[in-house]
């Protein structure tokens, strides 16, 4: 015979779902998706190294010049002021060993004019990261909106946006950028000089790069629109705008963030290519691509002049790629 249940004691309180009793009396807490992704990301040493380099370069670019800090004034000379007295008049190379490297000029000097390479690398980082971040932001905004509209509505909307993406992807972007930037007037839309050139470069890169992220967002949206939470929101009377902006887009943050991180180094290389071809910012403003252009004529007598900006581009692009790969593995481990 089964013994009767003892109901004389106090009733046991139900444990919350997120805290359970584990072995040894220790509490077992549930983990959110964000926390799980952070744990995965911390295990990826390469991604963490890339994140630290990206954060360091971003801070350096922000605080390179006044009013934010003035690292250039603290550790180097003005990037646009020549030091002709430190140049050998016979060879046009910097005086001294290793391209004029010293405590005052840790990266050496430019040939011919003797401008401080350390200061010009920092100044060039501002241009490269500014163009890359703004162009990526523009691409993400346009691409996310167009992709979610194409995937959510389907039909003729999907067809129209898809054909528009095909047109933009087939466009010769580099040739178009060279033609437009090379034909810019001295002033337009209230902007002049390098400010106008930077604005046009950001617009060209951002406006013509949105189809890449739009295709990814469209594919994810086609899958999400068949999920139960979308049907539940629609059954409660939610409109299309509410479903898109409150239900769909929050679930698209992970793929958008991953692809944006991988798009930034592409934009850095594109800006460097434009500067290398002579249609980037004008002298004396420093840019990594422009420094490489000048180094072509002097790499035999001053090889460091080519190595320093080349390493700056390489390290920056590599850091963003490592961070992007780590974010992809952390947010979507099935994609490995």
């Amino acid at each position: 015979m089964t013994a009767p249940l003892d109901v004389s004691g106090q009733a046991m309180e139900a444990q919350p779902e997120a805290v359970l009793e584990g072995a040894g009396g220790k509490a077992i807490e549930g983990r959110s998706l964000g926390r799980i992704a952070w744990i995965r990301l911390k295990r990826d040493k390469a991604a963490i190294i890339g994140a630290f380099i990206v954060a360091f370069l971003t801070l350096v670019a922000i605080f390179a010049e006044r009013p934010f800090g003035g690292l250039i004034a603290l550790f180097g000379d003005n990037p646009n002021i020549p030091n002709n007295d430190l140049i050998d008049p016979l060879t046009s190379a910097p005086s001294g060993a290793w391209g004029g490297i010293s405590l005052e000029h840790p990266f050496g000097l430019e040939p011919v004019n003797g401008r401080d390479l350390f200061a010009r690398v920092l100044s060039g980082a501002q241009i490269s990261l500014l163009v890359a971040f703004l162009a990526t932001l523009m691409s993400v905004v346009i691409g996310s909106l167009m992709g979610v509209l194409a995937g959510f509505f389907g039909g003729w909307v999907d067809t129209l946006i898809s054909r528009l993406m095909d047109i933009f992807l087939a466009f010769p972007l580099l040739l178009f950028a060279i033609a437009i930037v090379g034909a810019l007037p001295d002033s337009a839309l209230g902007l002049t000089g390098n400010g106008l050139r930077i604005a046009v470069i950001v617009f060209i890169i951002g406006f013509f790069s949105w189809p890449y992220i739009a295709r990814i967002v469209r594919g994810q949206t086609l899958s999400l629109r068949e999920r139960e939470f979308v049907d539940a929101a629609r059954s409660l009377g939610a409109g299309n705008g509410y479903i898109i902006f409150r239900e769909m887009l929050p679930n698209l943050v992970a793929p958008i963030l991953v692809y944006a991180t991988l798009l930034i180094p592409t934009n850095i290389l594109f800006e460097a290519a434009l500067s290398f071809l002579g249609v980037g910012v004008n002298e004396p403003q420093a840019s990594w691509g422009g420094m490489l252009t000048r180094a072509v004529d002097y790499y035999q007598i001053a090889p460091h002049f080519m190595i320093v900006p080349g390493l700056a581009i390489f390290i920056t692009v590599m850091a963003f790629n490592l961070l992007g790969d780590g974010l992809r593995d952390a947010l979507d481990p099935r994609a490995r």
Side-chain angles (χ1 to χ4, degrees), residues 143-231:
S144 300
L145 181 60
M146 299 294 279
V148 74
L149 290 177
F152 182 78
F153 289 106
W156 67 269
V157 177
D158 186 18
T159 301
L160 177 63
I161 295 178
S162 296
R163 298 293 77 78
L164 193 62
M165 287 190 286
D166 293 337
I167 293 173
F168 273 79
L169 290 174
F171 210 82
L173 180 56
L174 182 59
L175 296 178
F176 180 76
I178 293 174
I180 294 297
V181 178
L184 279 178
D186 294 333
S187 63
L189 303 175
L191 299 173
T192 60
N194 284 329
L196 176 61
R197 300 177 78 86
I198 291 174
V200 172
I201 291 173
V202 168
F203 175 79
I204 291 174
I205 298 176
F207 186 71
F208 286 92
S209 299
W210 66 264
Y212 298 101
I213 195 166
R215 283 190 165 184
I216 294 176
V217 173
R218 174 185 173 273
Q220 294 291 326
T221 304
L222 289 173
S223 175
L224 287 176
R225 73 176 185 178
E226 306 297 334
R227 302 285 291 273
E228 292 80 1
F229 67 89
V230 175
D231 295 334

Side-chain angles (χ1 to χ4, degrees), residues 86-102:
L86 300 178
I87 298 297
D88 189 334
L90 298 178
T91 62
S92 296
S95 302
W98 303 100
I101 293 178
S102 63

Side-chain angles (χ1 to χ4, degrees), residues 36-277:
I36 293 173
W38 171 241
I39 292 174
R40 293 197 195 104
L41 183 62
K42 288 194 298 183
R43 294 172 181 168
D44 192 339
K45 303 303 181 184
I48 295 299
I49 293 174
F52 274 111
I53 295 176
V54 167
F56 173 76
L57 291 173
T58 303
L59 292 175
V60 165
I62 293 174
F63 294 102
E65 296 180 0
R66 288 182 172 87
F68 298 107
L71 291 177
I72 292 178
L74 186 61
F75 296 105
D77 288 343
N78 188 307
N80 301 326
I81 295 180
N83 296 292
N84 295 321
D85 56 321
L86 300 178
I87 298 297
D88 189 334
L90 298 178
T91 62
S92 296
S95 302
W98 303 100
I101 293 178
S102 63
L103 292 178
E104 295 181 355
H105 308 286
F107 287 177
L109 301 169
E110 279 191 352
V112 181
N113 51 44
R115 292 180 296 192
D116 184 61
L117 273 182
F118 177 79
R120 292 188 65 78
V121 167
L122 294 186
S123 183
Q126 291 181 316
I127 300 298
S128 295
L129 294 181
L130 177 65
V131 171
F133 281 135
L134 292 181
T136 301
L137 178 62
M138 185 176 183
S139 299
V140 166
V141 172
I142 299 176
S144 300
L145 181 60
M146 299 294 279
V148 74
L149 290 177
F152 182 78
F153 289 106
W156 67 269
V157 177
D158 186 18
T159 301
L160 177 63
I161 295 178
S162 296
R163 298 293 77 78
L164 193 62
M165 287 190 286
D166 293 337
I167 293 173
F168 273 79
L169 290 174
F171 210 82
L173 180 56
L174 182 59
L175 296 178
F176 180 76
I178 293 174
I180 294 297
V181 178
L184 279 178
D186 294 333
S187 63
L189 303 175
L191 299 173
T192 60
N194 284 329
L196 176 61
R197 300 177 78 86
I198 291 174
V200 172
I201 291 173
V202 168
F203 175 79
I204 291 174
I205 298 176
F207 186 71
F208 286 92
S209 299
W210 66 264
Y212 298 101
I213 195 166
R215 283 190 165 184
I216 294 176
V217 173
R218 174 185 173 273
Q220 294 291 326
T221 304
L222 289 173
S223 175
L224 287 176
R225 73 176 185 178
E226 306 297 334
R227 302 285 291 273
E228 292 80 1
F229 67 89
V230 175
D231 295 334
R234 189 176 284 114
S235 65
L236 293 174
N240 290 333
Y242 180 90
I243 295 175
I244 290 175
F245 291 101
R246 300 296 297 273
E247 301 289 345
M248 305 285 284
L249 283 178
N251 287 279
L252 294 169
V253 169
I256 291 173
L257 179 63
V258 170
Y259 193 79
T261 309
L262 296 174
L263 188 60
I264 290 174
T266 303
N267 293 338
I268 291 175
L269 290 175
F270 194 90
E271 184 277 331
L274 291 178
S275 297
F276 182 81
L277 295 174

